[in-house]
Amino acid sequence: LTIFVIYILALVLPAIGGLLNYLLKSKKAILPLSIGGILPTLVLVITAAVDLQKDFYHRFLWLSELEMGWHLDALSLVLVALVLFVSLLVQIFSAYYMADDREIYRFYFKLGFFTSAMIGLLGADHFFLLFIFWELVGFFSYLLIGFWFKDREKADAARNAFITNRIADLCLIVGIFCFWIGTDTLFISEIFISEGFWSTAGAIGILIGAMGKSAQFPFHTWLPKAMAGPTPVSALIHAATMVAVGVYLLVRMQPYMPNEVLTIVAVVGAFTALLAAFFALTQFDIKKILAYSTISQLGYMVMAVGVGSREMAFFHLWTHAFFKAGLFLTAGIVIHQLSHHFQSIRDPQDMRNMGGLRKMLPVTFWTFTVCMLALIGLPLFTGFFSKDGILIAAFAWAANQSSSLAWIIPTMGLFTAFLTAYYMIRQWKMVFFGMEERSKHQEPILARIPVMIFALGSLWIWYSWNPTGHSFQFLRYVFPDILIHNEFGFLVPVISVGFIILGVFVGWRKEHGHFYPNHLVINLSFNGFFLDRVYQQILITPYNKISSASAFIDKRILDPALNGLATSTVVFSHLLHFFEKHIIDGLVNFAAYLSRTLGSILKRQQSFSWQQQIIWLLLIIILVFYYLFRQL
Amino acid sequence: LIEVGTYGLYLSGFLFSIGLLIILIKKNIIFVLIGTELMLNAANLNLVIFSHKWGGNSGQIFALFAVVVAAAEIAIALALLLNIFKLRGISDLDKLNELGH
């Protein structure tokens, strides 16, 4: 099997599995169909990635003029494998989580198509092809957020996410066109470094597109709302794969971005990381904390791209996919078990209704703990490697900058690590410890396997035998020309672990109240800086006003004008009809009448008897003779 | 001789006029036939007179032939007319205005 065939299989099989699920509608066939499509392709993709000698290119004609192309290198193959892997485990988990939902077949249909679109995006070499899949993943994300669309609030959340992304995507396509003007090619693999206005504008456009998809400030508001979707969707799309697409695009484009734009990227990332961590401090919704934490970690990745370490951005994307998917799935188990065994709980997502789940769900507790420790970045877990890699790169970058303001960025990263430790420990404590001890309600095996695999994937062992030293073997495979910073290789991990332990300590010791005093900082954090209300005021209200104004113009000015035009056309037609009927037709009829009358008058002259005719004949003969012989 | 020719032409003019008048005012087939005979004989008379005037006998011989042919014609015409009268019972030319049935 060639690499391209494997890729096409990976592109098509998840969608076919989803489609078959939707068509067959059989409870027993769900798992065989979804696993049967994805698992073999996952194995094939991994073997192809291991065997990869050189990049694979495939060009094809589209619309007879436009040439499109696929490009598979180590980066895209590894990410295809990641998407397939997470999708596989999430689909297994969904068989547990969505088992009672009558629409589960529609759910698998959407999941399958999402996976295919995601894989298409990772292999696309042409900007237009990339954009098509970019929109497709956004569309399926919309469908999945609004999976329970009968709930008005959830449908609104889906629409919100979709529209926010559309605004950013508009900037993305403008950026693509700018890059096209600047470098005269639409193939990502053919882009070169170029100076000048167009490539800067293109880089900014692409940055904004990536910010929309990866939920960076100020576009981040859609991601916490996207938690309205089923929890497996949050794990697959809004933690592990789709939101990482923005980072993926930045990783691809980073070598071709001007330095000024990269500085903006770093600032956006660091600011988002800190801001989202701040928002996560006070949330009560178990999924909302994870959503804000996702935004914060995506901010780390964007910051890593900005400080020139795209390898570490990719690596954090990779490790984050495991532990954040694990966290979301364990949160899903908690929600599902609570809503099934404690019907009295009104809101099973509210952490104030939890507590003491350690004894009730031991497996969930341990997997959550492992994934959480990976997220806050302690040694022995993958997050330590990737997060400290980013921090080291950020410090090395700041040391090279002329302005001392640059040190703000790595400092923000460090502080975010502290906040992350705090809010995750807070969540851990509120969910699993304290209050009454509940009876044991074991989660089924179908739920246990995926979270355990994700927890295993969050252990250090896969990347280096030494839990404190990263061996870079995996990264060297993906990025052969990786640059390793050693200047801060010892100092930064020590400081960041110190910050993290401090955060853990504070989070553990503090009593987490169920209600907050009316304090400004707490209000700002809990309501996300009131950004939703700000957007409502500065964007949506003026938009609505413009809409109603244009509706007014439409109704009062354009419609009457149009009606007048229509009426005058009818009147004119009647006039024309009258003219036609009475003038043109009249002329024709008159001509006919004239010839008929003349004919009947002249006809009368013909009806002589034969004797009269002979008299005429004689007369004419006499006249002819007279004419001929008049000279004689 | 000159007088003979001149009076002869008067006579033939008179005959022709009579024949023409009969054709024009009479409707009966027999009268029309008589009128045409008169006009024919006026023409024959002209042939004889001009032959006599210019010398040579060809005109008189031609007149003899014309008389013979006219006799044959009149025999055929009378036969036709009699047959028509027998078939249709019509002797009025104005009413004989259709071919066949």
Side-chain angles (χ1 to χ4, degrees):
Chain A
L1 284 174
T2 65
I3 182 167
F4 188 56
V5 174
I6 292 171
Y7 176 72
I8 293 297
L9 280 179
L11 183 62
V12 172
L13 281 182
I16 291 178
L19 192 64
L20 285 178
N21 260 329
Y22 187 65
L23 294 178
L24 292 181
K25 289 207 195 309
S26 144
K27 269 253 162 16
K28 279 183 197 140
I30 286 177
L31 276 183
L33 280 175
S34 53
I35 297 175
I38 297 180
L39 188 62
T41 43
L42 175 62
V43 174
L44 285 173
V45 167
I46 290 172
T47 53
V50 170
D51 288 344
L52 186 69
Q53 303 296 333
K54 59 179 172 51
D55 289 6
F56 173 84
Y57 295 92
H58 176 80
R59 295 282 160 92
F60 62 95
L61 274 183
W62 192 54
L63 294 180
S64 78
E65 283 295 315
L66 195 56
E67 200 184 22
M68 293 266 195
W70 304 102
H71 172 210
L72 298 172
D73 57 1
L75 176 62
S76 43
L77 275 181
V78 161
L79 285 176
V80 166
L82 176 73
V83 169
L84 285 172
F85 179 71
V86 178
S87 177
L88 175 67
L89 292 184
V90 163
Q91 295 202 17
I92 293 172
F93 183 83
S94 303
Y96 150 75
Y97 191 82
M98 304 293 286
D100 303 331
D101 203 300
R102 284 176 53 226
E103 297 282 342
I104 186 170
Y105 311 104
R106 185 159 59 84
F107 184 74
Y108 272 88
F109 177 71
K110 291 173 179 177
L111 271 190
F113 271 85
F114 168 77
T115 310
S116 285
M118 190 70 205
I119 286 164
L121 193 155
L122 292 171
D125 189 26
H126 193 278
F127 267 127
F128 285 172
L129 201 57
L130 181 118
F131 189 76
I132 290 166
F133 285 113
W134 183 278
E135 291 299 305
L136 275 179
V137 292
F139 175 63
F140 286 111
S141 156
Y142 161 74
L143 289 183
L144 284 162
I145 296 169
F147 180 71
W148 290 309
F149 55 84
K150 281 171 189 157
D151 185 338
R152 173 88 200 220
E153 207 174 304
K154 288 172 174 166
D156 279 348
R159 216 172 300 138
N160 185 307
F162 192 68
I163 291 168
T164 312
N165 269 302
R166 288 297 73 65
I167 294 168
D169 292 349
L170 180 69
C171 295
L172 173 68
I173 198 151
V174 170
I176 286 173
F177 280 117
C178 290
F179 248 112
W180 192 12
I181 295 169
T183 61
D184 203 31
T185 177
L186 276 169
F187 288 100
I188 299 170
S189 55
E190 285 175 3
I191 280 185
F192 48 88
I193 302 165
S194 67
E195 293 294 316
F197 170 75
W198 290 115
S199 61
T200 310
I204 289 174
I206 284 172
L207 169 64
I208 294 175
M211 279 161 66
K213 205 50 115 208
S214 285
Q216 299 296 294
F217 179 84
F219 295 104
H220 66 272
T221 49
W222 70 267
L223 190 54
K225 291 204 190 81
M227 295 300 127
T231 313
V233 169
S234 309
L236 174 64
I237 299 180
H238 306 116
T241 56
M242 189 196 80
V243 288
V245 158
V247 178
Y248 165 77
L249 185 64
L250 287 178
V251 166
R252 272 252 184 263
M253 298 303 296
Q254 191 252 2
Y256 316 111
M257 284 184 159
N259 275 329
E260 313 87 69
V261 179
L262 285 180
T263 311
I264 300 174
V265 174
V267 172
V268 166
F271 183 65
T272 308
L274 187 60
L275 195 72
F278 175 66
F279 294 156
L281 294 179
T282 53
Q283 303 301 321
F284 284 123
D285 187 317
I286 184 171
K287 284 177 76 181
K288 243 181 194 165
I289 292 189
L290 295 177
Y292 276 123
S293 141
T294 304
I295 299 172
S296 175
Q297 300 304 310
L298 289 166
Y300 266 125
M301 301 172 205
V302 171
M303 180 177 92
V305 172
V307 300
S309 175
R310 62 196 197 111
E311 302 85 6
M312 278 304 160
F314 160 76
F315 190 44
H316 198 55
L317 189 168
W318 173 268
T319 57
H320 176 258
F322 287 86
F323 56 69
K324 188 50 69 63
L327 283 173
F328 265 114
L329 292 191
T330 46
I333 294 177
V334 167
I335 295 166
H336 195 256
Q337 296 298 104
L338 278 186
S339 60
H340 270 247
H341 297 297
F342 299 93
Q343 259 92 12
S344 60
I345 293 177
R346 201 162 46 82
D347 183 1
Q349 297 199 18
D350 195 323
M351 295 198 302
R352 284 171 291 193
N353 298 328
M354 299 176 189
L357 296 185
R358 185 163 50 102
K359 289 278 160 57
M360 175 180 155
L361 303 162
V363 176
T364 306
F365 170 68
W366 283 111
T367 49
F368 187 92
T369 309
V370 169
C371 293
M372 177 195 73
L373 292 175
L375 169 62
I376 63 183
L378 282 176
L380 290 177
F381 302 99
T382 51
F384 173 72
F385 294 144
S386 54
K387 191 182 279 185
D388 282 7
I390 290 174
L391 288 175
I392 290 168
F395 272 103
W397 171 80
N400 281 334
Q401 300 294 307
S402 52
S403 164
S404 57
L405 281 175
W407 290 99
I408 293 175
I409 291 200
T411 315
M412 282 164 102
L414 272 182
F415 194 59
T416 306
F418 165 73
L419 292 180
T420 309
Y422 172 80
Y423 68 69
M424 283 316 292
I425 292 293
R426 171 176 173 269
Q427 183 178 34
W428 191 52
K429 196 176 165 191
M430 286 184 83
V431 174
F432 291 105
F433 292 89
M435 32 194 252
E436 81 269 47
E437 296 289 333
R438 304 184 200 250
S439 54
K440 217 167 180 178
H441 289 288
Q442 286 278 16
E443 60 284 271
I445 188 96
L446 213 54
R448 235 185 264 171
I449 291 175
V451 292
M452 280 163 78
I453 292 176
F454 279 129
L456 276 180
S458 305
L459 292 176
W460 84 100
I461 201 81
W462 307 98
Y463 306 104
S464 156
W465 289 108
N466 175 0
T468 57
H470 190 192
S471 74
F472 293 102
Q473 217 175 351
F474 175 60
L475 281 186
R476 275 216 184 81
Y477 160 72
V478 181
F479 300 99
D481 53 346
I482 182 172
L483 208 76
I484 297 165
H485 301 282
N486 282 322
E487 305 101 278
F488 298 92
F490 176 72
L491 193 61
V492 170
V494 170
I495 297 174
S496 79
V497 169
F499 266 97
I500 289 164
I501 288 174
L502 186 69
V504 170
F505 184 73
V506 174
W508 181 251
R509 288 304 298 273
K510 196 172 180 306
E511 282 298 316
H512 299 293
H514 283 191
F515 297 98
Y516 288 125
N518 195 7
H519 189 273
L520 177 67
V521 176
I522 289 172
N523 277 342
L524 280 179
S525 164
F526 186 71
N527 293 303
F529 273 175
F530 297 101
L531 275 177
D532 278 332
R533 244 179 270 177
V534 171
Y535 290 163
Q536 179 79 34
Q537 281 303 316
I538 64 169
L539 294 176
I540 296 169
T541 312
Y543 176 78
N544 284 343
K545 280 200 179 124
I546 292 172
S547 303
S548 53
S550 57
F552 179 81
I553 291 173
D554 215 27
K555 207 169 174 182
R556 288 293 154 84
I557 298 175
L558 289 181
D559 278 5
L562 215 64
N563 283 341
L565 193 68
T567 315
S568 60
T569 310
V570 171
V571 169
F572 184 67
S573 306
H574 276 297
L575 279 176
L576 220 62
H577 175 73
F578 182 83
F579 183 76
E580 188 90 1
K581 193 170 174 184
H582 290 96
I583 312 261
I584 308 268
D585 283 8
L587 275 176
V588 174
N589 285 343
F590 177 71
Y593 168 79
L594 200 67
S595 44
R596 193 168 59 230
T597 317
L598 268 177
S600 63
I601 290 170
L602 289 176
K603 191 168 69 182
R604 257 175 252 152
Q605 315 305 317
Q606 294 290 329
S607 59
F608 300 130
S609 70
W610 62 277
Q611 285 161 325
Q612 281 169 311
Q613 287 177 24
I614 288 174
I615 291 170
W616 283 110
L617 192 69
L618 270 175
L619 274 174
I620 289 164
I621 289 172
I622 289 165
L623 280 174
V624 169
F625 270 68
Y626 170 74
Y627 175 76
L628 287 178
F629 300 109
R630 68 188 185 280
Q631 283 98 351
L632 293 178
Chain B
L1 263 175
I2 296 161
E3 287 77 27
V4 174
T6 312
Y7 292 122
L9 284 177
Y10 285 144
L11 180 61
S12 81
F14 177 70
L15 277 176
F16 188 85
S17 303
I18 293 288
L20 190 60
L21 202 64
I22 289 169
I23 287 174
L24 289 182
I25 60 174
K26 284 291 179 184
K27 293 199 174 186
N28 196 307
I29 292 178
I30 301 299
F31 278 103
V32 173
L33 205 61
I34 289 169
T36 50
E37 278 307 307
L38 279 176
M39 287 159 75
L40 181 72
N41 283 316
N44 267 343
L45 194 58
N46 270 7
L47 281 174
V48 172
I49 289 163
F50 284 113
S51 161
H52 178 253
K53 187 176 180 182
W54 305 120
N57 300 322
S58 55
Q60 298 185 20
I61 292 165
F62 192 76
L64 274 179
F65 274 98
V67 167
V68 175
V69 171
E73 276 177 15
I74 212 78
I76 291 168
L78 272 175
L80 281 172
L81 290 177
L82 276 174
N83 272 323
I84 286 169
F85 187 75
K86 269 186 189 165
L87 279 172
R88 302 276 177 92
I90 303 169
S91 59
D92 189 346
L93 261 181
D94 276 347
K95 287 175 184 161
L96 198 69
N97 55 1
E98 53 185 36
L99 282 171
H101 296 286

